[in-house]
Amino acid sequence: MTDRIDRKLRELGLTLPQAAAPVAAYVPTVETAGLLHISGQLPFDDGALMTGRLGDDRDLDYGYKAAQRCALMLVAQMQQALGGLHRVGRIVKLGVFVNSAADFTDQPKVANGASELMLALFGDAGRHARSAVGVPSLPLGAAVEIDAIVAIAPGDGAV
């Protein structure tokens, strides 16, 4: 599975970043009851945090890319926490928070940046439940933050 994901990332012109360390008093992941809970991940592009407010100083395309970058960081956290992506059974849920102006209503389209990447990387196991909400601000001025719940595959992996 890891080879398939690496190949797909190359096809998309993307690379998996190093899993980010926490910036406050929390852990990046918690594994319990067959699930991996991943703390909110921020969007980094070439090492720089993607900041701004959608519908104000950032547009939908920027938000989509920011959500995709959050998804890459989620996958990096999965790989680190599980010792490899072969243990990913299914992406269960994504929680997408979009730093957006009061009149911006395209949060679901922003969230598609992450959802479509999960589907591309994990196939049917990447289909997930999701929430996409607008918020007035995010940590460090980030444009998007995404957390996740991932089902852990029994044995050598289901996908």
Side-chain angles (χ1 to χ4, degrees):
M1 157 140 84
T2 301
D3 290 339
R4 181 173 59 94
I5 290 174
D6 288 341
R7 188 172 47 254
K8 189 62 178 177
L9 285 168
R10 278 192 305 276
E11 288 173 14
L12 296 170
L14 301 170
T15 56
L16 207 56
Q18 185 75 277
V23 296
Y26 63 91
V27 294
T29 61
V30 172
E31 182 179 338
T32 185
L35 297 173
L36 182 69
H37 296 262
I38 306 173
S39 296
Q41 300 297 303
L42 301 180
F44 288 90
D45 190 27
D46 290 328
L49 179 63
M50 298 178 73
T51 61
R53 177 169 292 134
L54 282 285
D56 187 3
D57 60 342
R58 300 296 184 186
D59 64 12
L60 178 60
D61 290 338
Y62 185 88
Y64 181 96
K65 182 177 179 181
Q68 185 182 66
R69 294 306 189 263
C70 289
L72 285 171
M73 190 60 73
L74 288 166
V75 175
Q77 294 291 0
M78 291 174 214
Q79 181 171 298
Q80 180 171 294
L82 300 175
L85 298 175
H86 64 283
R87 292 190 59 209
V88 173
R90 181 180 185 104
I91 309 303
V92 176
K93 183 163 191 223
L94 298 181
V96 182
F97 303 90
V98 181
N99 184 351
S100 51
D103 61 348
F104 184 82
T105 59
D106 283 333
Q107 289 85 358
K109 291 178 183 175
V110 169
N112 283 343
S115 294
E116 291 171 3
L117 184 62
M118 292 302 182
L119 184 58
L121 296 180
F122 296 100
D124 281 341
R127 293 186 189 280
H128 53 271
R130 182 182 85 184
S131 57
V133 297
V135 296
S137 67
L138 286 170
L140 307 175
V144 178
E145 180 177 2
I146 304 178
D147 62 14
I149 301 171
V150 176
I152 301 168
D156 287 335
V159 229

